[in-house]
Amino acid sequence: QSFFQNIGKFSPIPIFLIALILFFVGFALLFANFYYGKGEKLTFKGRIEEAIPYFQKALQFNPLHPEYNRRIAGVYFILAKGDEENKLKFLSQAESWSKKTTGWANNSGDWNFQGKIFVFKKEYDFAEEKFLAAISENPHDFDAYLELTQLYSRQNRLSEMHVLVENTVISQY
């Protein structure tokens, strides 16, 4: 028998509760998208600091949405690059939001982004670790290879950079 044939056997109270829960979850997702969209519009207009409360509000309604976490991490990273006085505070926020995403949505772009944060902080060993994690997650992630070669160049590790480019990048692309 199908579910619909058996639906009359269920008590109307649990069905009503399930419908009510789904209704509220749907509204929460709509509100999250609304606030995220407002944050995006402000970001594209260059009004970065004004966008943060909208991203935070979107995350209150949908805290597990990876793109919301990635976006707020990116916004804090942009702020860190432009504000020497608050650089460490903003980098800390960017790193915190970025780590949340890698906890449930392993993605080479997330590892790569964390590597960029560590390069900016001049914590090159951690940056290398993150770029290698990005490459391990997705061996075809050109950005991770590019960031790693730039890191090796910055550290004057030219032989490692040459090996990386010759054995990996050139052979894949």
Side-chain angles (χ1 to χ4, degrees):
Q1 291 184 344
S2 75
F3 171 77
F4 294 106
Q5 290 172 334
N6 288 323
I7 202 157
K9 297 177 185 176
F10 294 108
S11 168
I13 293 174
I15 291 173
F16 174 75
L17 288 176
I18 291 170
L20 192 62
I21 290 168
L22 291 174
F23 176 77
F24 283 114
V25 167
F27 264 109
L29 296 177
L30 282 174
F31 280 120
N33 283 335
F34 170 77
Y35 286 113
Y36 179 78
K38 295 275 284 183
E40 282 288 274
K41 286 178 184 174
L42 289 168
T43 301
F44 289 128
K45 290 179 180 178
R47 296 163 51 191
I48 307 280
E49 289 187 55
E50 292 176 53
I52 290 174
Y54 289 102
F55 291 128
Q56 290 171 333
K57 195 74 167 170
L59 284 159
Q60 287 176 350
F61 284 106
N62 190 357
L64 298 178
H65 196 297
E67 190 55 39
Y68 296 177
N69 284 276
R70 285 182 191 111
R71 190 49 144 159
I72 198 167
V75 164
Y76 277 115
F77 187 65
I78 291 167
L79 288 173
K81 291 170 99 175
D83 186 341
E84 192 61 37
E85 184 178 321
N86 295 303
K87 177 171 79 171
L88 293 178
K89 178 180 85 170
F90 290 142
L91 280 176
S92 174
Q93 287 289 330
E95 188 176 353
S96 173
W97 286 108
S98 179
K99 282 182 181 178
K100 289 178 184 180
T101 303
T102 56
W104 67 77
N106 259 353
N107 172 314
S108 63
D110 296 328
W111 294 116
N112 197 38
F113 179 72
Q114 285 186 14
K116 290 178 185 182
I117 292 171
F118 285 118
V119 166
F120 196 67
K121 291 169 68 174
K122 297 185 172 137
E123 295 179 16
Y124 299 130
D125 290 341
F126 291 120
E128 180 179 17
E129 179 184 309
K130 299 303 179 184
F131 294 139
L132 289 171
I135 291 167
S136 175
E137 187 69 33
N138 179 4
H140 302 288
D141 185 344
F142 183 75
D143 290 337
Y145 289 107
L146 181 62
E147 294 293 338
L148 188 56
T149 56
Q150 289 175 346
L151 175 64
Y152 288 161
S153 175
R154 176 177 280 145
Q155 294 178 297
N156 206 25
R157 294 165 61 184
L158 301 180
S159 62
E160 290 171 88
M161 183 180 78
H162 179 73
V163 169
L164 179 69
V165 170
E166 190 171 275
N167 293 340
T168 314
V169 178
I170 293 175
S171 69
Q172 288 188 28
Y173 299 98

